[in-house]
Protein backbone atom coordinates (compact mmCIF):
# COMPACT_ATOMS: atom_id res chain seq x y z
CA UNK A 1 0.00 0.00 0.00
CA UNK A 2 1.46 3.35 -1.01
CA UNK A 3 1.79 6.26 1.36
CA UNK A 4 -1.05 8.05 -0.47
CA UNK A 5 -3.26 5.00 -0.29
CA UNK A 6 -2.64 4.66 3.45
CA UNK A 7 -3.53 8.32 3.97
CA UNK A 8 -6.77 7.87 1.99
CA UNK A 9 -7.65 4.77 4.04
CA UNK A 10 -7.18 6.68 7.29
CA UNK A 11 -9.39 9.53 6.05
CA UNK A 12 -12.10 7.10 4.98
CA UNK A 13 -11.90 5.27 8.33
CA UNK A 14 -12.30 8.51 10.29
CA UNK A 15 -15.20 9.54 8.09
CA UNK A 16 -16.88 6.17 8.58
CA UNK A 17 -16.31 6.35 12.35
CA UNK A 18 -17.88 9.84 12.42
CA UNK A 19 -20.96 8.59 10.59
CA UNK A 20 -21.33 5.61 12.94
CA UNK A 21 -20.93 7.77 16.04
CA UNK A 22 -23.45 10.27 14.67
CA UNK A 23 -25.87 7.44 13.99
CA UNK A 24 -25.40 6.14 17.52
CA UNK A 25 -25.93 9.62 18.88
CA UNK A 26 -29.14 10.06 16.88
CA UNK A 27 -30.32 6.64 18.04
CA UNK A 28 -29.71 7.63 21.66
CA UNK A 29 -31.61 10.88 21.10
CA UNK A 30 -34.45 8.93 19.50
CA UNK A 31 -34.56 6.61 22.49
CA UNK A 32 -34.56 9.54 24.88
CA UNK A 33 -37.42 11.17 22.95
CA UNK A 34 -39.34 7.88 22.89
CA UNK A 35 -38.83 7.55 26.64
CA UNK A 36 -40.15 11.08 27.11
CA UNK A 37 -43.24 10.08 25.16
CA UNK A 38 -43.71 7.06 27.42
CA UNK A 39 -43.34 9.27 30.48
CA UNK A 40 -46.01 11.58 29.09
CA UNK A 41 -48.28 8.61 28.55
CA UNK A 42 -47.84 7.83 32.25
CA UNK A 43 -49.11 11.21 33.39
CA UNK A 44 -49.44 11.81 37.10
CA UNK A 45 -52.74 13.65 37.44
CA UNK A 46 -54.34 15.25 40.49
CA UNK A 47 -57.85 16.65 40.80
CA UNK A 48 -58.54 19.07 43.64
CA UNK A 49 -62.23 19.71 44.31
CA UNK A 50 -64.74 21.52 46.50
CA UNK A 51 -66.02 19.91 49.73
CA UNK A 52 -68.55 17.75 47.85
CA UNK A 53 -65.70 15.72 46.33
CA UNK A 54 -65.50 13.64 43.16
CA UNK A 55 -68.53 11.54 44.05
CA UNK A 56 -71.02 14.41 44.20
CA UNK A 57 -73.01 12.91 41.32
CA UNK A 58 -72.69 16.20 39.47
CA UNK A 59 -70.06 18.81 38.61
CA UNK A 60 -66.95 17.40 40.29
CA UNK A 61 -67.78 13.83 39.37
CA UNK A 62 -68.09 14.62 35.68
CA UNK A 63 -64.65 16.23 35.69
CA UNK A 64 -63.30 13.13 37.43
CA UNK A 65 -65.00 10.86 34.92
CA UNK A 66 -63.18 12.67 32.14
CA UNK A 67 -59.88 11.79 33.82
CA UNK A 68 -60.94 8.17 34.31
CA UNK A 69 -61.92 7.92 30.66
CA UNK A 70 -58.48 9.23 29.70
CA UNK A 71 -56.82 6.66 31.97
CA UNK A 72 -58.86 3.87 30.36
CA UNK A 73 -57.04 4.72 27.13
CA UNK A 74 -53.68 5.45 28.83
CA UNK A 75 -53.41 2.84 31.60
CA UNK A 76 -49.96 4.04 32.69
CA UNK A 77 -51.50 7.32 33.84
CA UNK A 78 -52.63 7.77 37.45
CA UNK A 79 -54.97 10.11 39.29
CA UNK A 80 -55.20 11.31 42.88
CA UNK A 81 -58.44 12.92 44.07
CA UNK A 82 -58.06 15.56 46.77
CA UNK A 83 -60.98 17.23 48.55
CA UNK A 84 -60.53 20.79 49.83
CA UNK A 85 -62.84 20.91 52.82
CA UNK A 86 -63.82 24.59 53.03
CA UNK A 87 -64.56 25.91 49.54
CA UNK A 88 -62.67 29.08 50.44
CA UNK A 89 -60.65 30.43 47.47
CA UNK A 90 -57.46 30.99 49.48
CA UNK A 91 -57.67 27.51 50.97
CA UNK A 92 -58.41 26.05 47.53
CA UNK A 93 -55.26 27.54 46.02
CA UNK A 94 -53.22 26.44 49.04
CA UNK A 95 -54.49 22.87 48.60
CA UNK A 96 -53.08 22.93 45.07
CA UNK A 97 -49.82 24.51 46.24
CA UNK A 98 -49.37 21.68 48.73
CA UNK A 99 -49.29 19.04 45.99
CA UNK A 100 -48.14 20.86 42.86
CA UNK A 101 -44.61 19.41 42.99
CA UNK A 102 -45.86 15.82 42.86
CA UNK A 103 -48.01 15.86 39.70
CA UNK A 104 -47.71 16.61 35.98
CA UNK A 105 -51.25 17.90 35.46
CA UNK A 106 -53.62 19.32 38.04
CA UNK A 107 -57.36 19.58 37.32
CA UNK A 108 -59.20 22.20 39.36
CA UNK A 109 -62.99 22.33 38.89
CA UNK A 110 -64.53 25.43 40.39
CA UNK A 111 -64.46 29.22 40.46
CA UNK A 112 -62.57 29.17 43.76
CA UNK A 113 -59.45 27.87 41.98
CA UNK A 114 -58.93 30.99 39.81
CA UNK A 115 -55.86 31.86 41.88
CA UNK A 116 -53.88 28.83 40.69
CA UNK A 117 -52.48 31.20 38.07
CA UNK A 118 -49.84 32.30 40.60
CA UNK A 119 -48.78 28.67 40.97
CA UNK A 120 -48.68 28.25 37.19
CA UNK A 121 -46.21 31.13 36.93
CA UNK A 122 -44.04 29.61 39.65
CA UNK A 123 -44.24 26.12 38.11
CA UNK A 124 -43.96 26.52 34.32
CA UNK A 125 -43.28 22.78 33.87
CA UNK A 126 -46.67 21.86 35.39
CA UNK A 127 -49.94 21.97 33.47
CA UNK A 128 -53.27 23.08 34.89
CA UNK A 129 -56.81 22.45 33.66
CA UNK A 130 -59.11 25.01 35.21
CA UNK A 131 -62.84 24.47 34.79
CA UNK A 132 -65.49 27.05 35.63
CA UNK A 133 -63.28 30.12 35.80
CA UNK A 134 -60.71 32.19 34.02
CA UNK A 135 -57.36 32.39 35.83
CA UNK A 136 -56.82 35.38 38.10
CA UNK A 137 -54.49 37.97 36.54
CA UNK A 138 -50.84 37.92 37.61
CA UNK A 139 -49.07 41.27 37.05
CA UNK A 140 -51.56 42.02 34.29
CA UNK A 141 -51.16 38.64 32.60
CA UNK A 142 -54.45 36.87 31.92
CA UNK A 143 -53.42 34.06 29.55
CA UNK A 144 -50.94 31.41 30.61
CA UNK A 145 -49.11 28.87 28.46
CA UNK A 146 -49.62 26.13 31.05
CA UNK A 147 -53.27 26.80 31.99
CA UNK A 148 -56.16 25.61 29.84
CA UNK A 149 -59.15 27.38 31.37
CA UNK A 150 -62.48 26.10 30.15
CA UNK A 151 -65.76 27.78 30.85
CA UNK A 152 -69.14 26.63 29.64
CA UNK A 153 -72.11 28.73 28.62
CA UNK A 154 -74.22 27.41 31.50
CA UNK A 155 -76.93 29.91 30.62
CA UNK A 156 -77.63 27.86 27.48
CA UNK A 157 -78.16 24.63 29.43
CA UNK A 158 -80.14 26.55 32.03
CA UNK A 159 -82.29 28.01 29.25
CA UNK A 160 -83.36 24.53 28.13
CA UNK A 161 -84.11 23.63 31.76
CA UNK A 162 -86.31 26.72 32.08
CA UNK A 163 -88.15 25.94 28.86
CA UNK A 164 -88.70 22.33 29.91
CA UNK A 165 -89.98 23.37 33.34
CA UNK A 166 -92.36 25.97 31.92
CA UNK A 167 -93.72 23.61 29.27
CA UNK A 168 -94.21 20.67 31.67
CA UNK A 169 -95.43 22.32 34.91
CA UNK A 170 -98.97 21.61 36.00
CA UNK A 171 -99.11 24.17 38.83
CA UNK A 172 -97.52 26.97 36.77
CA UNK A 173 -94.93 27.45 39.52
CA UNK A 174 -91.27 26.55 39.01
CA UNK A 175 -87.99 27.40 40.74
CA UNK A 176 -84.23 27.06 40.63
CA UNK A 177 -82.08 26.20 43.66
CA UNK A 178 -78.38 27.14 43.62
CA UNK A 179 -75.36 26.71 45.85
CA UNK A 180 -73.21 29.86 45.85
CA UNK A 181 -73.60 32.81 43.46
CA UNK A 182 -70.41 32.14 41.54
CA UNK A 183 -70.69 33.18 37.87
CA UNK A 184 -71.44 29.64 36.66
CA UNK A 185 -74.30 29.30 39.16
CA UNK A 186 -75.74 32.70 38.27
CA UNK A 187 -75.48 31.71 34.59
CA UNK A 188 -77.61 28.64 35.30
CA UNK A 189 -80.12 30.75 37.21
CA UNK A 190 -80.40 33.52 34.61
CA UNK A 191 -80.53 30.96 31.80
CA UNK A 192 -83.33 29.09 33.57
CA UNK A 193 -85.29 32.30 34.09
CA UNK A 194 -84.71 33.21 30.44
CA UNK A 195 -86.13 29.85 29.36
CA UNK A 196 -89.26 30.34 31.45
CA UNK A 197 -89.83 33.82 30.02
CA UNK A 198 -89.26 32.43 26.50
CA UNK A 199 -91.88 29.71 26.98
CA UNK A 200 -94.28 32.25 28.46
CA UNK A 201 -93.96 34.59 25.48
CA UNK A 202 -93.47 32.21 22.56
CA UNK A 203 -95.84 29.44 23.67
CA UNK A 204 -98.41 31.44 25.62
CA UNK A 205 -97.55 29.99 29.03
CA UNK A 206 -98.14 31.83 32.31
CA UNK A 207 -95.52 30.34 34.59
CA UNK A 208 -94.29 31.98 37.80
CA UNK A 209 -90.69 31.85 39.03
CA UNK A 210 -90.82 31.32 42.80
CA UNK A 211 -88.15 32.85 45.04
CA UNK A 212 -88.01 32.38 48.81
CA UNK A 213 -87.42 35.30 51.13
CA UNK A 214 -83.99 35.22 52.72
CA UNK A 215 -82.24 33.10 50.09
CA UNK A 216 -81.31 35.69 47.46
CA UNK A 217 -77.80 35.37 46.08
CA UNK A 218 -75.05 38.01 45.91
CA UNK A 219 -72.69 37.56 42.98
CA UNK A 220 -68.92 38.12 42.88
CA UNK A 221 -69.44 41.82 42.14
CA UNK A 222 -71.73 42.24 45.15
CA UNK A 223 -74.91 42.44 43.07
CA UNK A 224 -78.17 40.96 44.38
CA UNK A 225 -79.18 38.35 41.81
CA UNK A 226 -82.24 36.95 43.60
CA UNK A 227 -82.89 33.24 43.20
CA UNK A 228 -82.76 30.56 45.89
CA UNK A 229 -79.17 30.20 47.13
CA UNK A 230 -78.22 27.83 49.93
CA UNK A 231 -74.82 29.49 50.42
CA UNK A 232 -72.99 26.17 50.11
CA UNK A 233 -72.42 23.30 47.72
CA UNK A 234 -72.24 20.78 50.57
CA UNK A 235 -75.23 21.45 52.84
CA UNK A 236 -77.89 18.79 52.28
CA UNK A 237 -79.91 19.91 55.30
CA UNK A 238 -80.39 23.44 53.92
CA UNK A 239 -81.11 22.00 50.50
CA UNK A 240 -83.94 19.96 51.96
CA UNK A 241 -85.33 22.98 53.84
CA UNK A 242 -85.39 25.04 50.63
CA UNK A 243 -86.89 22.17 48.65
CA UNK A 244 -89.68 21.64 51.17
CA UNK A 245 -90.44 25.37 51.33
CA UNK A 246 -90.75 25.59 47.52
CA UNK A 247 -92.99 22.52 47.37
CA UNK A 248 -95.17 24.03 50.10
CA UNK A 249 -95.63 27.11 47.89
CA UNK A 250 -96.90 24.93 45.04
CA UNK A 251 -93.73 24.54 42.96
CA UNK A 252 -93.85 21.26 41.04
CA UNK A 253 -90.61 21.48 39.01
CA UNK A 254 -87.28 22.50 40.57
CA UNK A 255 -84.04 22.99 38.68
CA UNK A 256 -81.26 22.05 41.10
CA UNK A 257 -77.78 23.52 40.52
CA UNK A 258 -76.31 23.18 44.00
CA UNK A 259 -73.73 20.38 44.09
CA UNK A 260 -74.02 18.21 47.19
CA UNK A 261 -76.60 20.64 48.62
CA UNK A 262 -78.87 19.55 45.82
CA UNK A 263 -79.09 16.08 47.34
CA UNK A 264 -81.25 17.61 50.05
CA UNK A 265 -83.61 19.03 47.44
CA UNK A 266 -83.79 15.59 45.82
CA UNK A 267 -84.75 14.10 49.19
CA UNK A 268 -87.47 16.69 49.71
CA UNK A 269 -88.93 15.94 46.29
CA UNK A 270 -88.79 12.18 46.83
CA UNK A 271 -90.64 12.54 50.12
CA UNK A 272 -93.22 14.98 48.72
CA UNK A 273 -96.81 14.04 48.11
CA UNK A 274 -97.95 14.74 44.58
CA UNK A 275 -96.20 14.92 41.24
CA UNK A 276 -93.07 16.99 41.85
CA UNK A 277 -90.10 16.76 39.50
CA UNK A 278 -86.47 17.84 39.49
CA UNK A 279 -84.27 18.93 36.60
CA UNK A 280 -80.72 17.70 37.13
CA UNK A 281 -77.60 19.69 36.41
CA UNK A 282 -74.14 19.39 34.85
CA UNK A 283 -74.54 15.66 34.11
CA UNK A 284 -77.30 13.13 33.42
CA UNK A 285 -78.77 12.62 36.91
CA UNK A 286 -81.55 10.23 35.93
CA UNK A 287 -80.12 7.41 38.06
CA UNK A 288 -80.07 9.72 41.10
CA UNK A 289 -83.79 10.33 40.58
CA UNK A 290 -84.89 6.78 41.28
CA UNK A 291 -87.62 6.75 43.89
CA UNK A 292 -88.99 3.25 44.27
CA UNK A 293 -90.66 2.37 40.99
CA UNK A 294 -90.81 6.06 40.02
CA UNK A 295 -88.23 8.64 39.00
CA UNK A 296 -88.24 12.32 39.95
CA UNK A 297 -85.95 13.51 37.11
CA UNK A 298 -87.71 15.35 34.29
CA UNK A 299 -84.45 15.85 32.36
CA UNK A 300 -80.96 17.19 33.09
CA UNK A 301 -79.31 20.40 31.91
CA UNK A 302 -75.77 19.40 31.06
CA UNK A 303 -72.28 20.65 30.31
CA UNK A 304 -70.23 18.04 28.49
CA UNK A 305 -67.23 18.46 30.78
CA UNK A 306 -65.87 14.90 30.84
CA UNK A 307 -65.47 14.95 27.07
CA UNK A 308 -63.50 18.20 27.18
CA UNK A 309 -61.35 17.15 30.16
CA UNK A 310 -60.37 13.94 28.38
CA UNK A 311 -59.66 15.84 25.17
CA UNK A 312 -57.36 18.26 27.01
CA UNK A 313 -55.43 15.48 28.76
CA UNK A 314 -54.98 13.76 25.41
CA UNK A 315 -53.49 16.98 24.05
CA UNK A 316 -50.85 16.83 26.78
CA UNK A 317 -49.82 13.36 25.63
CA UNK A 318 -49.75 14.11 21.91
CA UNK A 319 -47.94 17.42 22.42
CA UNK A 320 -50.72 19.68 21.16
CA UNK A 321 -51.62 21.14 24.58
CA UNK A 322 -52.11 24.88 24.36
CA UNK A 323 -52.93 27.20 27.22
CA UNK A 324 -55.77 29.67 26.88
CA UNK A 325 -59.17 30.79 28.12
CA UNK A 326 -62.14 29.38 26.22
CA UNK A 327 -65.92 29.44 26.56
CA UNK A 328 -67.63 26.35 25.18
CA UNK A 329 -71.12 26.67 23.68
CA UNK A 330 -73.84 24.62 22.03
CA UNK A 331 -72.15 25.07 18.66
CA UNK A 332 -69.50 22.57 19.83
CA UNK A 333 -72.14 20.35 21.47
CA UNK A 334 -70.69 21.31 24.86
CA UNK A 335 -73.97 22.50 26.39
CA UNK A 336 -77.48 21.12 26.21
CA UNK A 337 -80.02 18.82 27.86
CA UNK A 338 -80.62 15.08 28.11
CA UNK A 339 -82.91 13.82 25.37
CA UNK A 340 -81.78 10.19 25.21
CA UNK A 341 -84.72 7.81 25.32
CA UNK A 342 -85.22 6.33 28.77
CA UNK A 343 -83.21 9.09 30.47
CA UNK A 344 -85.88 11.81 30.61
CA UNK A 345 -89.65 12.23 31.06
CA UNK A 346 -90.32 15.03 28.60
CA UNK A 347 -93.38 14.90 26.38
CA UNK A 348 -92.88 14.60 22.63
CA UNK A 349 -94.25 18.12 22.20
CA UNK A 350 -91.81 19.58 24.75
CA UNK A 351 -88.93 17.67 23.20
CA UNK A 352 -89.77 19.03 19.75
CA UNK A 353 -89.88 22.61 21.08
CA UNK A 354 -86.56 22.16 22.88
CA UNK A 355 -84.89 20.75 19.78
CA UNK A 356 -86.17 23.67 17.75
CA UNK A 357 -84.81 26.13 20.31
CA UNK A 358 -81.49 24.27 20.47
CA UNK A 359 -80.81 25.08 16.81
CA UNK A 360 -81.58 28.73 17.47
CA UNK A 361 -79.14 28.77 20.39
CA UNK A 362 -76.50 27.04 18.26
CA UNK A 363 -76.72 29.63 15.49
CA UNK A 364 -76.85 32.58 17.90
CA UNK A 365 -80.45 33.62 17.28
CA UNK A 366 -81.24 33.02 20.97
CA UNK A 367 -78.69 34.38 23.46
CA UNK A 368 -79.95 33.72 27.00
CA UNK A 369 -79.07 36.06 29.85
CA UNK A 370 -75.93 35.29 31.85
CA UNK A 371 -74.18 36.87 34.82
CA UNK A 372 -72.15 39.34 32.76
CA UNK A 373 -73.42 39.40 29.15
CA UNK A 374 -75.54 42.52 29.63
CA UNK A 375 -78.86 40.79 28.95
CA UNK A 376 -81.60 40.12 31.49
CA UNK A 377 -83.91 37.10 31.76
CA UNK A 378 -86.76 39.41 30.70
CA UNK A 379 -84.92 40.88 27.70
CA UNK A 380 -82.39 38.97 25.59
CA UNK A 381 -81.79 38.29 21.86
CA UNK A 382 -84.35 35.84 20.53
CA UNK A 383 -87.11 36.65 23.00
Amino acid sequence: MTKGTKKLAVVLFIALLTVVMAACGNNAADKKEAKAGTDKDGLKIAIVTSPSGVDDGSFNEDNYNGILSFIDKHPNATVKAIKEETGDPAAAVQAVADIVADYDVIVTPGFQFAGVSSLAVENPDKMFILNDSEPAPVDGQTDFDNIYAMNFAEQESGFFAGMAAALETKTNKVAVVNGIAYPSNVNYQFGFESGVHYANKIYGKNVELVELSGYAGTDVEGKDVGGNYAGSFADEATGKVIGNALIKQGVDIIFVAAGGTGNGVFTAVKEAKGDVKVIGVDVDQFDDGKNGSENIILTSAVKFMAMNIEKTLSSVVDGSFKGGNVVLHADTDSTGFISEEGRHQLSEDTLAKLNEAYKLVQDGTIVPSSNFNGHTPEKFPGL
Side-chain angles (χ1 to χ4, degrees):
M1 184 179 288
T2 66
K3 186 176 180 180
T5 305
K6 285 182 179 179
K7 186 175 180 180
L8 178 60
V10 171
V11 171
L12 290 172
F13 176 76
I14 292 173
L16 178 62
L17 184 62
T18 301
V19 171
V20 171
M21 290 179 67
C24 289
N26 287 339
N27 190 46
D30 290 344
K31 286 182 178 178
K32 185 177 181 181
E33 188 172 326
K35 185 175 186 300
T38 303
D39 290 341
K40 271 189 175 182
D41 198 46
L43 285 180
K44 293 180 68 179
I45 307 163
I47 178 171
V48 186
T49 71
S50 65
S52 53
V54 296
D55 55 355
D56 63 354
S58 186
F59 177 71
N60 290 334
E61 188 167 334
D62 202 45
N63 283 262
Y64 189 55
N65 285 340
I67 300 172
L68 296 181
S69 183
F70 169 80
I71 291 176
D72 281 344
K73 299 177 180 67
H74 302 83
N76 290 327
T78 59
V79 61
K80 172 72 173 178
I82 297 161
K83 184 191 298 186
E84 195 288 301
E85 296 287 354
T86 69
D88 175 72
V93 174
Q94 185 58 52
V96 178
D98 291 342
I99 56 98
V100 67
D102 300 324
Y103 297 93
D104 302 312
V105 184
I106 301 175
V107 179
T108 53
F111 180 79
Q112 68 269 35
F113 292 101
V116 297
S117 48
S118 60
L119 302 177
V121 171
E122 296 167 2
N123 299 273
D125 59 327
K126 306 295 183 179
M127 280 163 277
F128 299 80
I129 301 174
L130 177 60
N131 183 9
D132 219 20
S133 177
E134 290 189 356
V138 177
D139 295 329
Q141 182 180 354
T142 56
D143 290 289
F144 303 84
D145 291 340
N146 56 338
I147 300 179
Y148 180 74
M150 65 174 75
N151 282 275
F152 292 78
E154 294 93 358
Q155 65 273 14
E156 294 177 354
S157 302
F159 176 81
F160 302 123
M163 272 191 70
L167 292 170
E168 293 284 346
T169 178
K170 295 177 177 62
T171 64
N172 284 336
K173 290 185 177 183
V174 301
V176 56
V177 177
N178 296 90
I180 302 173
Y182 291 147
S184 59
N185 245 215
V186 179
N187 288 348
Y188 271 134
Q189 176 202 345
F190 283 5
F192 179 81
E193 294 171 354
S194 298
V196 172
H197 286 296
Y198 184 85
N200 281 345
K201 180 176 180 180
I202 303 301
Y203 296 110
K205 302 292 290 185
N206 184 29
V207 178
E208 176 188 352
L209 287 154
V210 178
E211 295 182 348
L212 301 171
S213 175
Y215 288 101
T218 302
D219 74 5
V220 293
E221 293 187 343
K223 179 182 177 182
D224 183 347
V225 294
N228 300 295
Y229 284 86
S232 169
F233 291 109
D235 186 351
E236 288 191 32
T238 298
K240 186 175 181 181
V241 168
I242 293 173
N244 281 328
L246 290 170
I247 293 167
K248 189 174 181 181
Q249 291 203 19
V251 172
D252 68 340
I253 299 179
I254 306 173
F255 177 37
V256 184
T261 299
N263 294 334
V265 182
F266 276 50
T267 300
V269 172
K270 288 179 179 180
E271 293 177 354
K273 295 179 180 178
D275 186 16
V276 183
K277 291 286 190 296
V278 163
I279 296 177
V281 74
D282 287 336
V283 298
D284 179 358
Q285 291 194 285
F286 197 77
D287 291 336
D288 298 319
K290 291 178 181 176
N291 189 30
S293 61
E294 305 294 323
N295 196 301
I296 64 168
I297 294 290
L298 180 63
T299 184
S300 298
V302 294
K303 302 187 292 188
F304 293 98
M305 298 175 292
M307 172 187 73
N308 284 287
I309 292 286
E310 180 184 355
K311 188 185 299 183
T312 307
L313 289 170
S314 296
S315 75
V316 174
V317 172
D318 66 26
S320 65
F321 178 89
K322 185 179 180 182
N325 307 328
V326 302
V327 179
L328 300 165
H329 291 264
D331 61 352
T332 60
D333 298 320
S334 292
T335 62
F337 62 97
I338 295 298
S339 59
E340 180 186 347
E341 187 176 349
R343 307 295 297 180
H344 69 87
Q345 299 184 77
L346 301 167
S347 69
E348 287 298 321
D349 181 64
T350 295
L351 197 56
K353 288 181 170 64
L354 287 171
N355 287 332
E356 181 181 345
Y358 191 84
K359 293 176 183 176
L360 297 176
V361 172
Q362 281 186 311
D363 68 19
T365 300
I366 295 175
V367 182
S369 171
S370 72
N371 201 176
F372 301 121
N373 70 358
H375 307 309
T376 68
E378 296 82 19
K379 188 176 181 181
F380 57 90
L383 181 63

